[in-house]
Amino acid sequence: MNLLNCHQINELLSAYLENELDTTTTLTVANHLEKCLSCEKELKALTNVSNLVKTVIREADKTDLSLVARSNKINSLVKDEITSKIKATENLVLASSNDNSIKTSQNNIVKLNLRPKWSALSKKIFLSLAASVAIICLSLFTITYYATSTGPLLSGVARNHQFCSAIEISNIGWHKGYPKERLLQANNINLPKLDTLGVHFSDLHPCKVYKAPFLHMMYSKGDKQISLYYGSQEAVNKFQEKFKTITPNELYLHQESNLQIAAISTQKNNLWIVAGDLTKEEINAITSELAINSLSNTEESKLFH
Amino acid sequence: MANDNNNLALLSTEDQLENFENLALIHTQILLRTATRMCTNSSEADDIVQETLLRAWKYWHTFELGSNCRAWLFRIMINLIHRRRESLSNTAEHISVDEPNMANVLKFEPKLEMDEHGALVALNRLPTEYRDIIFLVLIEEFSYKEAAIMLNVPMGTVMSRLHRARQMMKKLLCPDNEDNEDNENIATA
């Protein structure tokens, strides 16, 4: 720092006045000031300003007589506050003196540890359990609510439900042990007996086909799964709306489920649907049996014409 | 690492309180004096000092005996004052710290006399940050390092702020003595 111009020296003058510069810089500034009248003048001006400010403020402090009274009042308030805090702490210590969580060291420093250590862990466990329950509930609700097709959602447990929306896990839907007799009674039908055709009944449950309520009766013939669906007036209306051109007792390939289906009407205001990998002969045999076993007055209605 | 003899945390509460009274509460008047200058009114200054002392008591066990208690208390107080200013800054206009505009300070102001009244008026016209540095370094005579710690700024900032504060004061009080401003003569050491 051998060469400094006046501007650079001016920047250092404040620190020079407060003796905040290192020895080398102090010497540099001092040497410059010896040779430069303008910088020396600047230093004097700054010194005068500083002295004036100091004098003015210190004089103002002397005339402010309220300072002593205010500081005494503050000290008094602070002491009271601190004393009351100490007393409160001591009372807390006395009140909990039998508590094992209070530890007193040799230096008479009281450490309070009133909260049990496992509280944080139990809080985490509680939150984890709550989160798990919430996730399970949400999953069940989602599966139940959106189970419009059993293919993707419940294919593992309901291979026979490609055509309908089996609600197997809901209280309002079908599950193992649901009284079958009650379901048949509610729909005012008898269970079709197809044993003579080698088709054996396995189970039944309430379901929905295109949002219309049906009763799904599951049968099997060897490895082949056969389903009978029974629907009342509401189902008829919905189904008629969906399949306007369907003809009773004719086999159709249901595009969505890739199942062969046939629609049969035994009465004017109800509907039977047979679904499965069927032949025309099997359909005819089943419809004949249905006509025998189902309610009387079987007729091919003009439902689908 | 504090020496055990200087560790207040190892003392009993009664001893700590006695130490606090002897070391901290004796500075109340000095704190109040500076707080009154730095705050908008005396009531606010009283609150700040009381809060400073209560906070100091709260952390008294961390104070190292033998270190500068006045500087420690000032640091707490300046911190509180800055927080209070920040909370008020949404409603009050203030001059930027980083880019102080001297023209804003000097513009449209009548010339002041180089006397006590002029000095007080000039001081009040300075931006807050410059006034603070004058109070801490010129009046309370804290070192640049101590002021830098209190204000949480580098030491270079303290030096430049104080220089600019002095320049502003000089220009407010002696507006005719500006002939050396652009003198670029190189002096040799």
Side-chain angles (χ1 to χ4, degrees):
Chain A
M1 199 181 278
N2 289 327
L3 288 174
L4 288 175
N5 60 33
C6 289
H7 180 74
Q8 290 167 319
I9 292 290
N10 274 345
E11 291 286 322
L12 298 170
L13 286 180
S14 272
Y16 179 77
L17 277 173
E18 267 86 42
N19 293 322
E20 290 277 353
L21 296 175
D22 59 59
T23 316
T24 314
T25 317
T26 305
L27 281 173
T28 306
V29 174
N31 287 337
H32 181 97
L33 288 170
E34 281 178 9
K35 295 170 187 173
C36 180
L37 283 174
S38 63
C39 287
E40 194 185 353
K41 195 177 170 187
E42 176 72 8
L43 180 69
K44 277 183 185 172
L46 291 177
T47 311
N48 288 340
V49 167
S50 300
N51 290 338
L52 182 62
V53 170
K54 283 180 192 176
T55 310
V56 164
I57 290 176
R58 283 173 182 162
E59 284 300 316
D61 289 340
K62 281 179 189 173
T63 54
D64 189 355
L65 300 174
S66 69
L67 267 177
V68 178
R70 281 163 62 203
S71 64
N72 287 340
K73 189 183 171 188
I74 289 170
N75 275 351
S76 173
L77 287 170
V78 168
K79 278 182 198 173
D80 289 348
E81 180 86 18
I82 291 172
T83 310
S84 65
K85 278 183 181 174
I86 290 170
K87 278 182 181 172
T89 311
E90 284 173 354
N91 288 339
L92 191 61
V93 172
L94 285 171
S96 314
S97 58
N98 292 326
D99 195 325
N100 291 331
S101 58
I102 296 175
K103 298 168 185 172
T104 309
S105 73
Q106 290 177 346
N107 299 308
N108 200 27
I109 299 164
V110 177
K111 293 177 182 175
L112 287 177
N113 189 12
L114 298 175
R115 294 185 72 184
K117 282 185 178 176
W118 47 266
S119 63
L121 181 64
S122 62
K123 192 178 176 184
K124 281 181 186 174
I125 291 170
F126 174 77
L127 287 175
S128 305
L129 283 172
S132 306
V133 169
I135 290 167
I136 290 167
C137 289
L138 187 66
S139 306
L140 289 175
F141 173 78
T142 308
I143 290 169
T144 308
Y145 191 80
Y146 291 103
T148 53
S149 167
T150 53
L153 280 172
L154 299 171
S155 57
V157 291
R159 285 185 297 275
N160 205 26
H161 304 283
Q162 295 95 327
F163 191 56
C164 67
S165 309
I167 305 173
E168 297 192 21
I169 50 175
S170 164
N171 284 333
I172 57 166
W174 167 75
H175 57 84
K176 198 172 182 181
Y178 198 94
K180 300 176 185 65
E181 295 73 20
R182 200 176 124 198
L183 284 171
L184 293 164
Q185 197 179 356
N187 285 279
N188 197 23
I189 57 165
N190 296 319
L191 183 71
K193 296 188 188 310
L194 307 173
D195 296 323
T196 52
L197 302 173
V199 179
H200 305 290
F201 171 76
S202 58
D203 214 338
L204 66 82
H205 71 99
C207 69
K208 286 193 174 181
V209 177
Y210 298 113
K211 296 181 181 176
F214 273 86
L215 189 63
H216 182 187
M217 287 153 276
M218 287 169 279
Y219 290 80
S220 60
K221 186 182 181 184
D223 296 334
K224 196 187 286 183
Q225 301 290 334
I226 298 168
S227 294
L228 288 182
Y229 293 93
Y230 173 79
S232 56
Q233 179 64 50
E234 188 186 349
V236 171
N237 295 339
K238 292 262 183 185
F239 209 75
Q240 189 181 17
E241 195 179 311
K242 184 77 182 172
F243 299 100
K244 286 178 180 171
T245 57
I246 201 164
T247 306
N249 290 2
E250 287 297 324
L251 271 172
Y252 292 90
L253 182 68
H254 184 242
Q255 297 291 335
E256 292 172 31
S257 63
N258 205 26
L259 280 176
Q260 285 179 316
I261 62 162
I264 307 143
S265 179
T266 57
Q267 279 194 321
K268 201 169 185 177
N269 291 330
N270 63 30
L271 172 69
W272 286 87
I273 298 168
V274 186
D277 186 13
L278 303 162
T279 61
K280 179 71 178 170
E281 288 72 29
E282 283 171 328
I283 282 286
N284 285 335
I286 290 169
T287 52
S288 300
E289 283 297 320
L290 277 177
I292 294 162
N293 290 313
S294 301
L295 295 173
S296 58
N297 298 326
T298 302
E299 61 178 27
E300 286 184 6
S301 74
K302 294 178 180 176
L303 195 65
F304 302 107
H305 295 291
Chain B
M1 192 73 182
N3 188 310
D4 279 357
N5 295 328
N6 293 341
N7 196 342
L8 280 164
L10 297 175
L11 298 177
S12 67
T13 312
E14 290 76 17
D15 290 341
Q16 283 190 31
L17 184 57
E18 192 183 338
N19 266 310
F20 186 73
E21 285 183 28
N22 294 335
L23 296 174
L25 293 186
I26 57 166
H27 297 298
T28 305
Q29 201 171 322
I30 300 166
L31 289 169
L32 191 61
R33 198 172 63 197
T34 307
T36 307
R37 291 182 203 124
M38 293 173 84
C39 296
T40 50
N41 57 57
S42 58
S43 171
E44 189 187 345
D46 290 0
D47 289 348
I48 286 281
V49 172
Q50 192 176 336
E51 200 178 339
T52 300
L53 292 169
L54 288 173
R55 188 159 291 209
W57 169 249
K58 187 178 175 184
Y59 297 103
W60 187 240
H61 60 280
T62 65
F63 176 71
E64 285 181 27
L65 287 174
S67 61
N68 189 343
C69 186
R70 190 172 71 104
W72 187 69
L73 291 169
F74 262 81
R75 190 179 179 189
I76 298 171
M77 186 176 78
I78 300 294
N79 192 23
L80 288 171
I81 290 173
H82 281 180
R83 278 192 201 172
R84 188 165 291 207
R85 281 179 188 163
E86 276 170 19
S87 67
L88 295 171
S89 64
N90 291 335
T91 52
E93 189 183 349
H94 65 283
I95 297 171
S96 166
V97 185
D98 299 326
E99 294 180 17
N101 190 347
M102 204 178 284
N104 282 345
V105 181
L106 305 174
K107 199 164 57 177
F108 306 126
E109 299 292 353
K111 289 180 181 178
L112 299 168
E113 295 297 324
M114 183 77 170
D115 57 11
E116 292 183 1
H117 174 73
L120 276 176
V121 174
L123 198 58
N124 284 329
R125 284 183 193 166
L126 292 185
T128 319
E129 296 75 24
Y130 294 92
R131 246 185 299 152
D132 289 354
I133 208 76
I134 283 182
F135 293 144
L136 292 176
V137 179
L138 278 190
I139 310 300
E140 298 303 332
E141 296 179 343
F142 284 115
S143 67
Y144 281 15
K145 189 180 175 184
E146 287 171 325
I149 292 169
M150 281 175 209
L151 298 167
N152 200 22
V153 293
M155 265 178 68
T157 306
V158 172
M159 193 167 89
S160 61
R161 275 191 199 172
L162 185 62
H163 179 68
R164 287 198 175 84
R166 275 189 169 120
Q167 290 283 353
M168 285 184 197
M169 287 292 289
K170 194 192 83 176
K171 286 189 180 182
L172 284 165
L173 293 167
C174 333
D176 299 330
N177 298 337
E178 294 177 25
D179 48 346
N180 296 326
E181 194 63 28
D182 299 320
N183 193 346
E184 295 291 331
N185 292 333
I186 294 175
T188 52

